[in-house]
mmCIF file of all heavy atoms in Angstrom:
data_model
loop_
_atom_site.group_PDB
_atom_site.id
_atom_site.type_symbol
_atom_site.label_atom_id
_atom_site.label_comp_id
_atom_site.label_asym_id
_atom_site.label_seq_id
_atom_site.Cartn_x
_atom_site.Cartn_y
_atom_site.Cartn_z
ATOM 1 N N HIS M 362 -6.767 -7.467 -10.926
ATOM 2 C CA HIS M 362 -5.885 -8.271 -10.088
ATOM 3 C C HIS M 362 -4.757 -7.426 -9.527
ATOM 4 O O HIS M 362 -3.603 -7.601 -9.923
ATOM 5 C CB HIS M 362 -5.272 -9.420 -10.904
ATOM 6 C CG HIS M 362 -6.227 -10.521 -11.190
ATOM 7 N ND1 HIS M 362 -6.634 -11.410 -10.230
ATOM 8 C CD2 HIS M 362 -6.863 -10.873 -12.328
ATOM 9 C CE1 HIS M 362 -7.477 -12.263 -10.774
ATOM 10 N NE2 HIS M 362 -7.636 -11.959 -12.033
ATOM 11 N N PRO M 363 -5.051 -6.508 -8.629
ATOM 12 C CA PRO M 363 -3.963 -5.689 -8.076
ATOM 13 C C PRO M 363 -2.948 -6.564 -7.364
ATOM 14 O O PRO M 363 -3.305 -7.502 -6.661
ATOM 15 C CB PRO M 363 -4.679 -4.758 -7.100
ATOM 16 C CG PRO M 363 -5.969 -5.419 -6.803
ATOM 17 C CD PRO M 363 -6.332 -6.202 -8.007
ATOM 18 N N ILE M 364 -1.680 -6.260 -7.586
ATOM 19 C CA ILE M 364 -0.590 -6.995 -6.951
ATOM 20 C C ILE M 364 -0.221 -6.291 -5.654
ATOM 21 O O ILE M 364 -0.064 -5.083 -5.624
ATOM 22 C CB ILE M 364 0.625 -7.067 -7.889
ATOM 23 C CG1 ILE M 364 0.259 -7.866 -9.143
ATOM 24 C CG2 ILE M 364 1.809 -7.701 -7.192
ATOM 25 C CD1 ILE M 364 1.367 -7.976 -10.163
ATOM 26 N N VAL M 365 -0.144 -7.034 -4.565
ATOM 27 C CA VAL M 365 0.146 -6.423 -3.272
ATOM 28 C C VAL M 365 1.546 -6.750 -2.781
ATOM 29 O O VAL M 365 1.902 -6.406 -1.662
ATOM 30 C CB VAL M 365 -0.881 -6.841 -2.200
ATOM 31 C CG1 VAL M 365 -2.256 -6.293 -2.531
ATOM 32 C CG2 VAL M 365 -0.925 -8.346 -2.077
ATOM 33 N N GLY M 366 2.335 -7.392 -3.631
ATOM 34 C CA GLY M 366 3.699 -7.650 -3.221
ATOM 35 C C GLY M 366 4.380 -8.694 -4.083
ATOM 36 O O GLY M 366 3.723 -9.443 -4.800
ATOM 37 N N LEU M 367 5.693 -8.695 -4.019
ATOM 38 C CA LEU M 367 6.480 -9.677 -4.746
ATOM 39 C C LEU M 367 7.299 -10.494 -3.762
ATOM 40 O O LEU M 367 7.685 -10.008 -2.707
ATOM 41 C CB LEU M 367 7.424 -8.971 -5.731
ATOM 42 C CG LEU M 367 6.765 -8.123 -6.817
ATOM 43 C CD1 LEU M 367 7.836 -7.415 -7.637
ATOM 44 C CD2 LEU M 367 5.884 -8.980 -7.708
ATOM 45 N N LEU M 368 7.548 -11.742 -4.130
ATOM 46 C CA LEU M 368 8.414 -12.584 -3.308
ATOM 47 C C LEU M 368 9.612 -12.991 -4.141
ATOM 48 O O LEU M 368 9.457 -13.490 -5.258
ATOM 49 C CB LEU M 368 7.651 -13.829 -2.834
ATOM 50 C CG LEU M 368 6.447 -13.571 -1.921
ATOM 51 C CD1 LEU M 368 5.632 -14.842 -1.729
ATOM 52 C CD2 LEU M 368 6.915 -13.030 -0.590
ATOM 53 N N VAL M 369 10.797 -12.759 -3.625
ATOM 54 C CA VAL M 369 12.007 -13.133 -4.334
ATOM 55 C C VAL M 369 12.815 -14.094 -3.469
ATOM 56 O O VAL M 369 12.446 -14.383 -2.330
ATOM 57 C CB VAL M 369 12.861 -11.904 -4.697
ATOM 58 C CG1 VAL M 369 12.025 -10.868 -5.404
ATOM 59 C CG2 VAL M 369 13.506 -11.327 -3.459
ATOM 60 N N GLU M 370 13.905 -14.525 -4.031
ATOM 61 C CA GLU M 370 14.847 -15.423 -3.374
ATOM 62 C C GLU M 370 15.021 -15.087 -1.891
ATOM 63 O O GLU M 370 15.400 -13.981 -1.534
ATOM 64 C CB GLU M 370 16.192 -15.283 -4.100
ATOM 65 C CG GLU M 370 17.108 -16.453 -3.944
ATOM 66 C CD GLU M 370 18.341 -16.273 -4.835
ATOM 67 O OE1 GLU M 370 18.142 -16.053 -6.054
ATOM 68 O OE2 GLU M 370 19.461 -16.341 -4.314
ATOM 69 N N GLY M 371 14.733 -16.048 -1.046
ATOM 70 C CA GLY M 371 14.942 -15.846 0.383
ATOM 71 C C GLY M 371 13.685 -15.479 1.145
ATOM 72 O O GLY M 371 13.676 -15.522 2.373
ATOM 73 N N ASP M 372 12.632 -15.089 0.430
ATOM 74 C CA ASP M 372 11.399 -14.693 1.113
ATOM 75 C C ASP M 372 10.610 -15.912 1.576
ATOM 76 O O ASP M 372 10.534 -16.920 0.888
ATOM 77 C CB ASP M 372 10.522 -13.853 0.180
ATOM 78 C CG ASP M 372 11.058 -12.437 0.050
ATOM 79 O OD1 ASP M 372 11.732 -11.980 1.000
ATOM 80 O OD2 ASP M 372 10.802 -11.804 -0.984
ATOM 81 N N ILE M 373 10.020 -15.767 2.755
ATOM 82 C CA ILE M 373 9.211 -16.833 3.335
ATOM 83 C C ILE M 373 7.741 -16.543 3.061
ATOM 84 O O ILE M 373 7.305 -15.397 3.109
ATOM 85 C CB ILE M 373 9.423 -16.913 4.856
ATOM 86 C CG1 ILE M 373 10.920 -16.987 5.173
ATOM 87 C CG2 ILE M 373 8.688 -18.096 5.446
ATOM 88 C CD1 ILE M 373 11.212 -16.942 6.655
ATOM 89 N N PHE M 374 6.984 -17.563 2.753
ATOM 90 C CA PHE M 374 5.547 -17.369 2.624
ATOM 91 C C PHE M 374 4.836 -18.619 3.113
ATOM 92 O O PHE M 374 5.449 -19.661 3.323
ATOM 93 C CB PHE M 374 5.154 -17.059 1.172
ATOM 94 C CG PHE M 374 5.381 -18.201 0.221
ATOM 95 C CD1 PHE M 374 4.361 -19.096 -0.073
ATOM 96 C CD2 PHE M 374 6.616 -18.385 -0.376
ATOM 97 C CE1 PHE M 374 4.574 -20.155 -0.957
ATOM 98 C CE2 PHE M 374 6.839 -19.439 -1.250
ATOM 99 C CZ PHE M 374 5.814 -20.324 -1.539
ATOM 100 N N GLY M 375 3.539 -18.491 3.301
ATOM 101 C CA GLY M 375 2.773 -19.646 3.752
ATOM 102 C C GLY M 375 1.872 -19.283 4.902
ATOM 103 O O GLY M 375 1.794 -18.133 5.308
ATOM 104 N N GLN M 376 1.222 -20.277 5.418
ATOM 105 C CA GLN M 376 0.202 -20.033 6.418
ATOM 106 C C GLN M 376 0.749 -19.303 7.628
ATOM 107 O O GLN M 376 0.127 -18.412 8.164
ATOM 108 C CB GLN M 376 -0.433 -21.362 6.845
ATOM 109 C CG GLN M 376 -1.882 -21.229 7.230
ATOM 110 C CD GLN M 376 -2.701 -20.744 6.054
ATOM 111 O OE1 GLN M 376 -2.414 -21.091 4.905
ATOM 112 N NE2 GLN M 376 -3.704 -19.925 6.316
ATOM 113 N N VAL M 377 1.935 -19.692 8.072
ATOM 114 C CA VAL M 377 2.481 -19.135 9.300
ATOM 115 C C VAL M 377 2.409 -17.624 9.315
ATOM 116 O O VAL M 377 1.905 -17.027 10.251
ATOM 117 C CB VAL M 377 3.946 -19.575 9.509
ATOM 118 C CG1 VAL M 377 4.587 -18.758 10.616
ATOM 119 C CG2 VAL M 377 3.983 -21.044 9.868
ATOM 120 N N PHE M 378 2.919 -17.036 8.273
ATOM 121 C CA PHE M 378 2.872 -15.585 8.334
ATOM 122 C C PHE M 378 1.809 -15.013 7.417
ATOM 123 O O PHE M 378 1.592 -13.824 7.365
ATOM 124 C CB PHE M 378 4.243 -14.942 8.077
ATOM 125 C CG PHE M 378 4.614 -14.777 6.647
ATOM 126 C CD1 PHE M 378 4.237 -13.641 5.962
ATOM 127 C CD2 PHE M 378 5.367 -15.728 6.012
ATOM 128 C CE1 PHE M 378 4.592 -13.472 4.642
ATOM 129 C CE2 PHE M 378 5.731 -15.554 4.699
ATOM 130 C CZ PHE M 378 5.340 -14.438 4.008
ATOM 131 N N ASP M 379 1.126 -15.882 6.689
ATOM 132 C CA ASP M 379 -0.005 -15.372 5.930
ATOM 133 C C ASP M 379 -1.161 -15.118 6.874
ATOM 134 O O ASP M 379 -1.957 -14.234 6.683
ATOM 135 C CB ASP M 379 -0.433 -16.348 4.841
ATOM 136 C CG ASP M 379 -0.097 -15.804 3.478
ATOM 137 O OD1 ASP M 379 0.098 -14.578 3.370
ATOM 138 O OD2 ASP M 379 -0.060 -16.572 2.537
#
Side-chain angles (χ1 to χ4, degrees):
Chain M
H362 286 286
I364 296 178
V365 294
L367 299 176
L368 297 170
V369 309
E370 203 174 306
D372 284 334
I373 308 175
F374 66 94
Q376 212 62 35
V377 168
F378 83 88
D379 250 340

